[in-house]
Amino acid sequence: MSAIYTTDPATNERVTLSELARRHGIHVSTLSRRHAEGLRGQALINKIDFAAHLAAQNAKKTQEVERREWIMAASMAALSRPLRHIADAWKMVGGAQ
């Protein structure tokens, strides 16, 4: 596999991703993934704000839990209707009279 060259945003030198990783203390696989995603320049070497990343992950999990609870509540509300309502609805749409 051939080396991928990019520009080091700190020095404007053309270097390989391996060298860029060494210079900035970032794992080469992280740089490779970011480069494949189209990130270049400073965005390629930016450090992650772990607190913000963790907060975003927690918010996403909270939304998933709330959505799951809402779906369960909606399902239970529909299932808990008396059979009389179901029969009345059937008559309204032209069912047996």
Side-chain angles (χ1 to χ4, degrees):
M1 186 166 157
S2 61
I4 299 173
Y5 284 83
T6 189
T7 304
D8 183 345
T11 62
N12 280 337
E13 285 182 71
R14 190 153 171 80
V15 295
T16 64
L17 288 182
S18 297
E19 177 61 25
L20 190 63
R22 239 184 323 278
R23 290 180 181 189
H24 294 281
I26 300 172
H27 199 277
V28 69
S29 66
T30 301
L31 288 182
S32 181
R33 178 183 43 81
R34 290 178 182 177
H35 190 273
E37 290 173 353
L39 297 177
R40 300 294 186 271
Q42 191 63 38
L44 191 61
I45 62 169
N46 280 345
K47 305 273 184 181
I48 293 176
D49 179 1
F50 287 109
H53 180 69
L54 185 60
Q57 282 186 330
N58 286 339
K60 184 177 178 182
K61 287 203 183 280
T62 300
Q63 286 177 342
E64 289 172 1
V65 167
E66 288 172 353
R67 183 173 188 273
R68 201 173 305 122
E69 289 172 352
W70 183 86
I71 290 170
M72 289 299 294
S75 296
M76 294 305 293
L79 293 173
S80 66
R81 293 212 178 267
L83 291 176
R84 182 175 45 85
H85 288 346
I86 296 171
D88 290 344
W90 178 249
K91 289 177 186 175
M92 290 172 45
V93 294
Q97 309 233 350

